[in-house]
């Protein structure tokens, strides 16, 4: 079997619906988790990669006091250098959470100039990859996940969710910002939840 065929035949690891709800619930329950709640919402609502989220600046995301509908990425995976394809649409739920985060940042006295980071550490510096991965690991434990995930699983989950909702591989390709549709094929695999739902209709 070729490396390409193996990649297409294996579905990516994704969070279940229960795990997604639990992650958002546990981070949204108190103030200390809200920054991470917004990070995870952005990941699940846009399929942005870890380094793309951490590179977001205030000027990229906000127009005045409101989150933009369209965000033009300044930092993205360099396998596709066409900047015109690196625009992300923000769902209304994500925009509302970003608006709330901006208000919280203003009240906390954080920098809000155009080149200030959206997501910062407790020391006020741009949130690092190491810090985000550590936080994601902790929140998974608090959400009582049965299995650990890497942060990139949120991107896989977002793309899988969109494909399951639309059954449109071209739409999913655009959402994932893949240069080649063959890269998007991994999200067409049925999940365990798809199989379980279908089993309920069997005569047995």
């Amino acid at each position: 079997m070729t490396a390409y065929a193996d990649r297409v035949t294996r579905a990516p690891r994704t969070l279940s619906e229960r795990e997604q709800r639990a992650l958002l619930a546990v981070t949204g329950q108190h103030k200390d988790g809200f920054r991470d709640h917004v990070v995870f919402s952005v990941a699940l609502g846009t399929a942005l990669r870890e380094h793309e989220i951490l590179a977001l600046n205030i000027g990229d995301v906000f127009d005045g006091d409101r989150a933009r509908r369209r965000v033009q990425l300044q930092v993205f995976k360099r396998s596709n250098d066409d900047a015109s394809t690196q625009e992300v649409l923000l769902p209304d739920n994500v925009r509302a959470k970003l608006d709330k985060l901006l208000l919280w940042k203003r009240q906390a006295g954080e920098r809000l100039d155009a080149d200030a980071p959206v997501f910062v550490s407790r020391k006020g510096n741009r949130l690092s990859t190491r810090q985000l991965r550590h936080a994601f690991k902790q929140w998974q434990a608090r959400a009582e996940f049965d299995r650990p995930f890497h942060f990139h699983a949120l991107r896989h989950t977002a793309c899988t969710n969109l494909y399951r909702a639309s059954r449109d591989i071209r739409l999913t390709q655009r959402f994932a910002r893949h240069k080649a549709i063959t890269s998007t094929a991994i999200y067409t695999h049925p999940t365990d939840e798809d199989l379980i739902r279908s089993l309920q209709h069997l005569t047995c």
Side-chain angles (χ1 to χ4, degrees):
M1 181 178 290
T2 66
Y4 165 72
D6 185 51
R7 180 161 57 90
V8 171
T9 55
R10 287 186 293 117
R13 292 190 66 224
T14 59
L15 281 67
S16 68
E17 292 178 11
R18 183 199 69 78
E19 288 165 334
Q20 293 172 64
R21 289 194 299 268
L23 180 66
L24 294 175
V26 73
T27 52
Q29 286 174 350
H30 49 79
K31 182 179 177 181
D32 290 343
F34 187 65
R35 178 204 65 191
D36 298 336
H37 177 82
V38 179
V39 169
F40 303 149
S41 290
V42 168
L44 288 168
T46 65
L48 283 176
R49 301 173 178 89
E50 181 181 61
H51 72 282
E52 295 169 339
I53 294 174
L54 296 177
L56 291 173
N57 290 334
I58 294 293
D60 301 328
V61 176
F62 297 98
D63 182 10
D65 293 334
R66 301 296 303 276
R68 303 176 188 273
R69 167 71 66 189
R70 299 173 181 270
V71 172
Q72 182 65 46
L73 299 181
Q74 307 303 319
V75 174
F76 47 86
K77 187 176 180 181
R78 305 318 285 188
S79 62
N80 185 355
D81 286 330
D82 183 1
S84 66
T85 65
Q86 302 299 334
E87 182 182 71
V88 175
L89 298 178
L90 298 182
D92 288 342
N93 283 348
V94 173
R95 293 174 70 203
K97 292 176 183 182
L98 284 164
D99 289 345
K100 186 176 178 181
L101 178 67
L102 183 67
L103 178 61
W104 181 85
K105 288 167 71 70
R106 178 173 287 112
Q107 293 172 344
E110 292 186 12
R111 282 181 54 214
L112 295 178
D113 44 296
D115 64 350
V118 173
F119 300 109
V120 300
S121 68
R122 291 182 180 179
K123 294 183 178 180
N125 302 316
R126 187 180 298 275
L127 190 65
S128 70
T129 299
R130 181 185 61 80
Q131 290 167 330
L132 178 56
R133 291 175 181 177
H134 177 70
F136 186 44
K137 182 178 180 179
Q138 287 190 316
W139 287 119
Q140 289 180 72
R142 294 186 187 184
E144 300 182 342
F145 279 23
D146 295 327
R147 49 186 179 161
F149 290 94
H150 294 298
F151 189 87
H152 199 70
L154 296 179
R155 172 174 166 81
H156 288 319
T157 301
C159 293
T160 299
N161 286 347
L162 186 73
Y163 180 76
R164 289 173 64 189
S166 67
R167 298 299 175 183
D168 188 329
I169 193 170
R170 290 290 181 184
L171 186 67
T172 308
Q173 179 189 14
R174 179 179 174 185
F175 179 65
R177 293 172 292 116
H178 284 153
K179 190 172 184 178
I181 201 167
T182 51
S183 299
T184 315
I186 61 171
Y187 302 119
T188 64
H189 291 284
T191 66
D192 288 347
E193 290 173 331
D194 291 329
L195 179 58
I196 290 171
R197 275 192 289 267
S198 297
L199 289 175
Q200 308 314 313
H201 300 292
L202 292 180
T203 301
C204 55

